[in-house]
Structures are given as C-alpha cells and as structure tokens.
Amino acid sequence: MKLGECAHTGVRRTKAQQDAATVEIGCAPASGCFAAAVLFGAVAGPTLLFDLPRALETTLRWGGLVVAPVVFAVRVVSVLVRFRRSAQPSQPGRTSPDS
C-alpha cells in the first residue's frame, strides 16, 4: 500500500480527502472531551453548588466519573464512523440515491 492510498479500497485519495480525514481524526477527540466535560459538570456539578447529603454527593461524583468516559468513547466512535461512511465514494454500477 502506497502513501495516500485508502486501506480498504486501494484507491488513491486526494490531498483534500487526506486533509479532511486528518481534521476529523483531530476533531473527534476534542469534541469527545467537550461532551464528556459538559456531562460530568451536569451530573457532578450540583455537588459544588449545593449542600447535599454526603451519600448523594458521593453518588453524583462517581456517576459523573463513570458516565464521562462512556460519553467520550461514544462521541469519538460516532464521529469517526459517520465520517468514514460519508467519505466513501459511490460504487460504480449502482444507482445513487440522489439521481
């Protein structure tokens, strides 16, 4: 396989396609971190703002620590899978849904 060749089709990619893939690979973890931080803040944030019972504080903080990595992973995978599906060229001989 040569540099710039697509691994699953062997078709050469243009520079624009390579750049788009690079951007998506960089944006996926960044948006995953953002989503995880927002969700962690939504779940565990009330423990900083309100005087809650100790058991509830512990539950909310652990809940945030469990949910945040899951949201990160789901976001990264969904962005990369969606990009991969949209980046594939149409197959010759098949009717395009736009036609």
Side-chain angles (χ1 to χ4, degrees):
M1 185 168 67
K2 296 177 184 174
L3 184 64
E5 251 181 36
C6 185
H8 61 281
T9 62
V11 176
R12 193 142 173 90
R13 290 187 271 173
T14 66
K15 180 66 174 157
Q17 289 170 327
Q18 291 174 358
D19 290 346
T22 302
V23 168
E24 284 300 316
I25 290 169
C27 286
S31 69
C33 283
F34 180 75
V38 167
L39 193 64
F40 178 79
V43 173
T47 63
L48 300 171
L49 300 174
F50 304 110
D51 188 24
L52 301 172
R54 184 118 172 109
L56 183 58
E57 278 189 13
T58 303
T59 302
L60 288 175
R61 287 183 183 162
W62 277 105
L65 286 172
V66 169
V67 171
V70 171
V71 169
F72 172 80
V74 168
R75 177 66 183 159
V76 169
V77 168
S78 68
V79 167
L80 294 178
V81 167
R82 184 180 48 207
F83 175 74
R84 183 173 177 195
R85 265 193 232 137
S86 68
Q88 291 179 349
S90 62
Q91 296 178 354
R94 294 200 177 175
T95 305
S96 172
D98 296 337
S99 61

